[in-house]
Amino acid sequence: NWQSHWQADGVQVYPKFLDHHQYPSAEILWNQINSFFEALECSLLHISPRNQQCSLLGASDIAAARNFYDAVLATVGVSEGDFSEETQRIYYRTSDGTLIVTKPMDGNPATVANGGTLGFTCKTPEQAKAFHDAAVANGGVSIEDPPGWRNLGERKLYLAYVRDPSGHKLCATHYA
């Protein structure tokens, strides 16, 4: 039932907001979630109780978003996105999952999550820096501290934070 929600591991999914032609049930969607970013040279950090294979971000300016994500995701080995003029969506696919950037389906301007970050784990600090630099060169904004090493107790991380042209917060991370 597309008007109800489905719950897995404490995370509620509202399938009525999803493209029901591509994902006939939320369970199928969850079965397609988790290794999109693992298939890259980077992976999606834990932003929910389950790693995700399919992520969806809203963008009011789809052309700017396409330019941005084509350049940024190329730094981690993802091909240019497939654009659907009809749905105003860009699909970034790997053999294991999809990142979808879309105009909001309700017709309102895209907004960002307050406190939300889409994180990428990179193999090297140089890859995280390349991610950051590609983001800034393609309409993104560097935020927080400049890219670099951070000591978190016994753990050492290389972090690079940016916002995409729609304001979504992204972080490229390398764990030492």
Side-chain angles (χ1 to χ4, degrees), residues 6-93:
W6 179 73
Q7 187 167 336
D9 293 343
V11 176
Q12 292 184 348
V13 178
Y14 294 88
K16 66 182 177 182
F17 297 114
L18 303 174
D19 180 349
H20 68 281
H21 297 292
Q22 185 172 355
Y23 299 108
S25 77
E27 186 169 3
I28 290 172
L29 173 63
W30 276 113
N31 289 335
Q32 303 223 341
I33 291 177
N34 187 12
S35 55
F36 167 73
F37 292 98
E38 290 174 6
L40 308 175
E41 295 299 307
C42 67
S43 61
L44 185 64
L45 294 175
H46 303 280
I47 60 169
S48 69
R50 296 174 71 151
N51 286 339
Q52 296 187 14
Q53 291 178 338
C54 182
S55 296
L56 185 115
L57 296 174
S60 294
D61 184 342
I62 206 73
R66 184 177 188 185
N67 183 57
F68 177 86
Y69 282 101
D70 280 358
V72 171
L73 293 178
T75 69
V76 293
V78 177
S79 299
E80 289 183 357
D82 294 321
F83 177 65
S84 168
E85 184 72 39
E86 180 183 344
T87 62
Q88 291 292 291
R89 292 183 186 155
I90 312 162
Y91 297 88
Y92 294 93
R93 295 181 176 101

Side-chain angles (χ1 to χ4, degrees), residues 103-109:
K103 284 198 168 199
M105 291 181 253
D106 65 4
N108 290 318

Side-chain angles (χ1 to χ4, degrees), residues 107-118:
N108 290 318
T111 59
V112 298
N114 185 12
T117 301
L118 188 60

Side-chain angles (χ1 to χ4, degrees), residues 75-159:
T75 69
V76 293
V78 177
S79 299
E80 289 183 357
D82 294 321
F83 177 65
S84 168
E85 184 72 39
E86 180 183 344
T87 62
Q88 291 292 291
R89 292 183 186 155
I90 312 162
Y91 297 88
Y92 294 93
R93 295 181 176 101
T94 70
S95 60
D96 297 311
T98 305
L99 170 65
I100 303 168
V101 181
T102 182
K103 284 198 168 199
M105 291 181 253
D106 65 4
N108 290 318
T111 59
V112 298
N114 185 12
T117 301
L118 188 60
F120 299 83
T121 302
C122 298
K123 283 189 169 183
T124 66
E126 293 79 17
Q127 187 180 42
K129 179 73 164 93
F131 182 102
H132 173 273
D133 293 349
V136 172
N138 288 279
V141 177
S142 185
I143 59 171
E144 300 191 13
D145 292 331
W149 289 101
R150 315 290 197 283
N151 289 316
L152 300 174
E154 295 181 21
R155 190 154 209 179
K156 189 174 178 181
L157 306 170
Y158 186 95
L159 300 174

